[in-house]
Amino acid sequence: MQRGKISFGKIQLNVNKAPAEPKANENTAGDEQEESSQAGSSSGGGGFKKMDKKQMIRQIEDVAEDLESQHLKEVMGISGFGRKAAKVFDINEQIEKARITRPGLDRNKEEPSQKAEEKADDEEEDVIGPLPPVAAEEKDKSTKDGAGKEDSDDESLSDDDSDDEQSLAKRIPYTHEVQMQHGSRAVLALAGDPSGARLVSGSIDYDMCFWDFAGMDSGMRSFRQLQPCENHPIRSLQYSVTGDMILVISGNAQAKVLDRDGFEKLECCKGDQYISDMSRTKGHVAQLTSGCWHPFNREQFLTAALDGTLRIWQGLKAKEQVQVIKTRAQGGLRTNAASCNFNRDATLIAAGCVDGSIQTWDTRKMFVNTTHCVRGAHQKGSEITSIVFSYMGQQLATRSNDETMKLWDLRQFKQPLHTWTNLFSRYDTTDCCFSPDDRLLVTGESLPKDQTEANLYFYSTRSYKEVQRIPVSNSHIVKTLWHPKLNQLFVSCGNGTIKCYYDEHRSIRGAKLCVVKSHRKRQPMEMVGVSQIITPHALPLFRQEKSRSSRKKMEKARMDPVKSKRPDLPITSGQGGRVASSGGTLSSYVIRNLGLSKRVDDDQDPREAILKYAKDAAENPYWIAPAYKQTQPKAIFSEKLPADEPATKKPKTESDK
């Protein structure tokens, strides 16, 4: 006999309903009966009964949904998910709260006093005739106070501007000055380590100097000097973002990468100058003009040259270019880039061209079309010697040989924000730079004819006014570097000097480390004599030389051709010079094999030298007789045949007459 499954009926749990309190003992029994009847009706009879499997699953899901909804209501702090009921507000209560917390409560207290003053003024205005002297003085005072307030507002604005400019002037670190001597020629390149520990400089006389602030004393001497590009001037230098490599841009077509100590790590490839399409070549084919590192990729850098291209190089081992960017003039013709740079987040590459245009490319797109192109940004034919992005990345500064410096906003790139003029420049590497807070723009000038000193100019990027002017040197100013970590200014000049300006309180490390160290003179080294051990029976290999004086040692070394590096002596023997004496020609080979290579004196008679061997040749024939000894032992000579020719003309004698 098959029996159905026994299961519990649906148990309804009403969690929202609060438990009912019994009102009286009388109604408890009736309430219990009603509740039991309701439960029975809701549960479909109550008790145990047979249920289908589907109904049981549905009931379990309903109970679970009720519990989840109740938990969600408690978490969200709401009473239900049903229809939103309109809130009921008590208007009187809201009005009372507004009266207590209204913002104009104090003003209402002042209104009666203001009304009283207005009434008094009206009464005064109604007075006909001249006022008494006391009232007139009070009125004059009130009018003066009103006008004084307006004037004070205007003056406060102007004072704020002047205070701002004064604070900018105080931020410039130029209270102290230190001079470093690079050489005697113009210093065209200057770069600082990102950490501020070192400085490198390059000049027109091919030299590159390394300066270490921690190792220098007050003498300010460089610890290393070298010529990385042989006979090419150093045009630009820059440290990588990590500070372990230096990019060297010279007058050559090949850029170089040096390590921190000056040892070469990479030399770029040189392109084929006979290929007309510059994108097909492996490298630049003309003189380099500028270059810079990627802002955060330590193995990628950018170079510009006079072949009309910008090239991006990647990796120190591959030595290959990644991308070639061509600069174009107005009609699509080729133009050369005089300067180039990345912005701070490496999304833009900017180039200042010789035709006076500024061109930018987005690094996230193809380099076919420019992102921005401003034609006529500077005078045509004058190089844009420097193009610099601000630290915030929204502004761009350009310096040109047309004696101007311009400030641009990348959001409105058609016209410059401001143009500063009368900034004479002789060198095509003269640059400008932003202050670390982007409030100032700094540049230098070349020495004009009518001045005795070249000045360093500081301009505000907001008011565009000249904040400060510092006389630097009686020569040209080429490079300007404001180091953001050290807060020090480094200025390179045309007479081979580098000047460092710093503030005693605002600047840190850098040149301040060197100034406090006194210059020490090198003490002569003391030589300690080595005791000599006499070993008379030692082998020649282990025998120690006798101690001699330095003079005798020097004379002995002088006689040694290896130690004295004696040049080759002139040739004193041989025929026909060095080549003939060494037997490099056919004639010398024949003479050497025939045994006739003995030298013949020039003053000897050649006839006597030949006849000296006549007797020996007749007795011992060597040339002809031995060859015919077997075939023709007896020599047979040709007989004289009668000739048809007339007899030789005889001289006339006296008998013939």
Side-chain angles (χ1 to χ4, degrees):
M1 180 177 177
Q2 295 180 355
R3 294 181 179 180
K5 293 181 180 179
I6 299 174
S7 62
F8 290 98
K10 181 180 178 183
I11 300 173
Q12 186 175 3
L13 179 64
N14 192 359
V15 294
N16 294 329
K17 187 175 181 180
E21 296 179 358
K23 294 182 180 179
N25 296 329
E26 300 174 355
N27 300 330
T28 54
D31 294 339
E32 289 176 358
Q33 292 176 1
E34 291 178 359
E35 288 176 359
S36 62
S37 63
Q38 288 176 1
S41 62
S42 62
S43 62
F48 298 97
K49 73 168 189 175
K50 294 181 180 180
M51 296 179 65
D52 295 336
K53 189 175 182 180
K54 294 181 179 179
Q55 292 179 356
M56 184 177 65
I57 294 171
R58 191 182 304 143
Q59 289 175 3
I60 293 171
E61 289 177 354
D62 292 341
V63 174
E65 288 178 0
D66 292 340
L67 292 174
E68 288 178 0
S69 62
Q70 179 63 23
H71 180 67
L72 186 61
K73 290 174 186 177
E74 291 176 359
V75 172
M76 297 179 65
I78 59 178
S79 60
F81 296 104
R83 203 171 190 181
K84 291 185 178 179
K87 291 185 179 180
V88 180
F89 296 95
D90 190 358
I91 298 174
N92 295 326
E93 185 180 354
Q94 297 292 332
I95 291 172
E96 289 297 329
K97 288 183 179 179
R99 284 178 180 176
I100 295 170
T101 61
R102 70 182 186 274
L105 184 62
D106 298 334
R107 294 180 183 177
N108 294 335
K109 293 179 181 178
E110 296 175 357
E111 284 180 0
S113 61
Q114 292 178 357
K115 290 180 180 179
E117 290 177 358
E118 289 176 358
K119 288 181 180 179
D121 294 338
D122 294 339
E123 291 175 357
E124 289 177 357
E125 289 176 357
D126 294 339
V127 176
I128 300 173
L131 293 173
V134 178
E137 290 177 0
E138 290 178 355
K139 190 173 182 180
D140 292 339
K141 287 181 181 179
S142 63
T143 55
K144 287 180 181 178
D145 293 339
K149 288 181 180 179
E150 295 177 357
D151 295 339
S152 63
D153 293 338
D154 297 337
E155 289 177 358
S156 63
L157 294 174
S158 62
D159 290 341
D160 292 340
D161 295 339
S162 62
D163 293 341
D164 192 11
E165 291 181 359
Q166 289 179 0
S167 64
L168 285 178
K170 291 179 181 178
R171 293 182 183 181
I172 302 172
Y174 70 101
T175 58
H176 293 71
E177 173 187 340
V178 177
Q179 181 172 328
M180 298 179 284
Q181 191 68 36
H182 175 94
S184 59
R185 304 292 297 277
V187 181
L188 300 182
L190 199 63
D193 184 13
S195 63
R198 287 188 178 183
L199 184 78
V200 290
S201 59
S203 66
I204 202 171
D205 58 356
Y206 326 133
D207 289 333
M208 180 178 173
C209 292
F210 292 77
W211 314 81
D212 187 6
F213 294 114
M216 285 193 300
D217 53 15
S218 59
M220 305 299 286
R221 291 180 177 84
S222 62
F223 73 92
R224 181 161 297 153
Q225 185 173 357
L226 52 92
Q227 292 184 357
C229 301
E230 298 179 354
N231 298 329
H232 297 281
I234 310 298
R235 294 180 55 86
S236 177
L237 295 170
Q238 190 177 13
Y239 272 95
S240 62
V241 63
T242 54
D244 59 342
M245 289 180 291
I246 306 169
L247 177 63
V248 181
I249 303 296
S250 65
N252 193 6
Q254 297 170 273
K256 286 189 177 182
V257 176
L258 309 180
D259 65 357
R260 191 173 176 81
D261 296 323
F263 297 100
E264 184 178 329
K265 298 190 70 174
L266 168 69
E267 184 177 13
C268 296
C269 300
K270 186 176 182 180
D272 190 351
Q273 58 186 350
Y274 297 104
I275 298 177
S276 59
D277 188 2
M278 288 294 103
S279 61
R280 302 287 182 180
T281 60
K282 295 182 179 180
H284 289 291
V285 298
Q287 173 188 335
L288 296 173
T289 56
S290 179
C292 62
W293 282 100
H294 194 278
F296 45 81
N297 188 350
R298 62 182 294 272
E299 291 189 353
Q300 185 172 330
F301 57 93
L302 173 70
T303 57
L306 294 179
D307 57 0
T309 60
L310 303 171
R311 297 177 190 265
I312 302 175
W313 306 81
Q314 175 71 38
L316 300 179
K317 296 181 180 179
K319 297 183 180 181
E320 293 180 358
Q321 60 192 12
V322 178
Q323 195 70 40
V324 180
I325 307 172
K326 296 182 181 179
T327 53
R328 297 294 184 186
Q330 182 74 40
L333 300 175
R334 188 178 76 179
T335 184
N336 300 325
S339 58
C340 62
N341 208 342
F342 280 100
N343 65 342
R344 303 293 173 181
D345 54 357
T347 56
L348 276 181
I349 293 175
C353 302
V354 178
D355 65 341
S357 65
I358 300 174
Q359 303 179 24
T360 64
W361 295 268
D362 194 340
T363 56
R364 296 163 293 185
K365 301 178 182 178
M366 298 293 291
F367 295 98
V368 178
N369 298 321
T370 58
T371 306
H372 305 94
C373 184
V374 182
R375 302 289 182 186
H378 286 274
Q379 183 179 346
K380 187 176 182 180
S382 60
E383 297 92 346
I384 298 178
T385 58
S386 176
I387 183 165
V388 185
F389 285 91
S390 64
Y391 287 90
M392 294 299 293
Q394 297 177 353
Q395 291 181 335
L396 181 71
T398 56
R399 180 80 160 88
S400 177
N401 276 342
D402 60 356
E403 302 185 8
T404 62
M405 181 177 65
K406 296 185 180 183
L407 182 65
W408 306 80
D409 192 344
L410 293 176
R411 295 164 293 186
Q412 298 175 354
F413 206 22
K414 294 183 179 179
Q415 294 295 329
L417 296 176
H418 191 74
T419 302
W420 292 276
T421 57
N422 297 327
L423 297 172
F424 177 59
S425 174
R426 276 192 59 189
Y427 292 92
D428 57 354
T429 57
T430 306
D431 68 342
C432 58
C433 66
F434 283 92
S435 62
D437 57 356
D438 286 342
R439 299 284 301 278
L440 292 172
L441 191 58
V442 189
T443 188
E445 65 171 356
S446 297
L447 184 65
K449 292 183 179 180
D450 54 347
Q451 292 185 10
T452 56
E453 285 185 330
N455 298 316
L456 191 66
Y457 294 93
F458 296 83
Y459 297 102
S460 173
T461 57
R462 297 182 181 178
S463 63
Y464 313 126
K465 294 181 181 179
E466 182 182 330
V467 178
Q468 189 69 33
R469 181 186 300 185
I470 302 175
V472 177
S473 173
N474 56 357
S475 182
H476 313 287
I477 297 176
V478 185
K479 284 286 184 179
T480 306
L481 173 65
W482 192 329
H483 201 285
K485 279 196 173 181
L486 303 180
N487 194 24
Q488 298 178 8
L489 275 165
F490 298 95
V491 183
S492 68
C493 304
N495 55 3
T497 61
I498 302 171
K499 289 198 173 183
C500 174
Y501 295 92
Y502 66 94
D503 195 317
E504 188 67 29
H505 303 288
R506 295 178 180 269
S507 301
I508 58 173
R509 300 195 305 272
K512 292 176 66 178
L513 300 174
C514 311
V515 176
V516 296
K517 297 180 182 178
S518 60
H519 178 58
R520 294 182 180 179
K521 293 183 179 180
R522 290 186 178 181
Q523 296 180 356
M525 297 178 64
E526 296 181 358
M527 298 296 294
V528 180
V530 180
S531 59
Q532 184 181 5
I533 300 173
I534 301 173
T535 54
H537 303 290
L539 296 173
L541 180 64
F542 305 103
R543 189 175 298 167
Q544 190 176 4
E545 294 183 357
K546 296 180 181 179
S547 60
R548 298 179 179 179
S549 63
S550 59
R551 182 178 178 182
K552 289 184 178 180
K553 288 182 179 179
M554 186 176 64
E555 290 178 353
K556 185 179 179 181
R558 183 71 176 170
M559 298 301 294
D560 189 357
V562 178
K563 291 183 179 180
S564 63
K565 298 180 181 180
R566 185 181 67 184
D568 294 338
L569 298 176
I571 298 170
T572 57
S573 62
Q575 295 179 356
R578 179 187 292 273
V579 177
S581 64
S582 62
T585 61
L586 178 61
S587 60
S588 62
Y589 174 77
V590 173
I591 292 172
R592 185 173 63 252
N593 289 342
L594 295 179
L596 301 177
S597 59
K598 294 182 179 179
R599 179 178 176 82
V600 180
D601 296 333
D602 294 338
D603 55 351
Q604 186 179 5
D605 188 4
R607 185 172 178 275
E608 293 179 358
I610 294 172
L611 293 176
K612 184 171 59 175
Y613 301 99
K615 184 179 179 182
D616 190 11
E619 293 176 356
N620 300 317
Y622 180 79
W623 297 105
I624 299 173
Y628 299 97
K629 188 174 182 180
Q630 295 179 358
T631 59
Q632 194 177 7
K634 185 178 179 182
I636 300 174
F637 299 100
S638 61
E639 298 178 357
K640 292 183 179 180
L641 299 175
D644 297 336
E645 296 179 359
T648 57
K649 190 176 182 180
K650 295 180 180 180
K652 291 182 179 182
T653 57
E654 294 181 356
S655 61
D656 295 336
K657 293 181 179 180

